[in-house]
Amino acid sequence: MQKNSVNKVILVGHLGANPEARYTKSGRPIVSFSLATNEQWKTKEGQTTEHTEWHSIIAWDKLAEFAQQYLYKGQLVSVEGTIHTRSWENKEGAKGKTTEIVCSSIVPLEWKK
């Protein structure tokens, strides 16, 4: 593996739902929400095609408290962070993987009118 690698994500999109807040057993705040990014292109036939990508976003501590207080469904925001993939196992023993963006910065680009 390269010693000087970079794991940085910058997304601008709309929240899919209001942030969902919770606390760890030790009392540390965490918030999660989905973020939609859209892209649009024209096919060879001249038709416009759209694709929406949904991202799972996680924020901790003060950033989690900020997100819970100020972010809302449909709001346009800029998110910076890193990609993290974690494995998990449910009660039935089925294994799964989740890829999330762990935030280092959230900037609202619009506010409620």
Side-chain angles (χ1 to χ4, degrees):
M1 176 183 263
Q2 183 179 352
K3 190 174 183 179
N4 298 326
S5 59
V6 175
N7 180 357
K8 180 157 182 132
V9 176
I10 300 172
L11 298 170
V12 175
H14 291 89
L15 269 73
N18 289 330
E20 182 182 307
R22 57 194 181 282
Y23 292 87
T24 64
K25 291 178 184 175
S26 63
R28 189 175 176 201
I30 180 173
V31 74
S32 59
F33 57 91
S34 59
L35 188 77
T37 55
N38 302 303
E39 59 181 319
Q40 196 176 82
W41 66 92
K42 289 203 183 265
T43 64
K44 291 179 186 176
E45 296 78 29
Q47 288 185 306
T48 301
T49 304
E50 289 187 36
H51 174 73
T52 300
E53 190 71 37
W54 288 94
H55 310 274
S56 296
I57 311 294
I58 302 293
W60 291 92
D61 304 320
K62 295 281 186 195
L63 200 52
E65 292 170 349
F66 170 83
Q68 176 62 29
Q69 187 171 1
Y70 295 107
L71 301 186
Y72 55 88
K73 180 180 178 176
Q75 185 178 26
L76 182 66
V77 297
S78 172
V79 170
E80 289 188 38
T82 56
I83 298 175
H84 285 227
T85 302
R86 60 183 173 87
S87 300
W88 47 270
E89 188 174 315
N90 69 12
K91 293 176 183 176
E92 290 79 35
K95 295 181 180 181
K97 270 189 172 181
T98 301
T99 300
E100 304 164 321
I101 308 302
V102 179
C103 284
S104 58
S105 170
I106 300 173
V107 178
L109 300 176
E110 66 183 8
W111 295 94
K112 285 184 180 176
K113 295 176 183 168

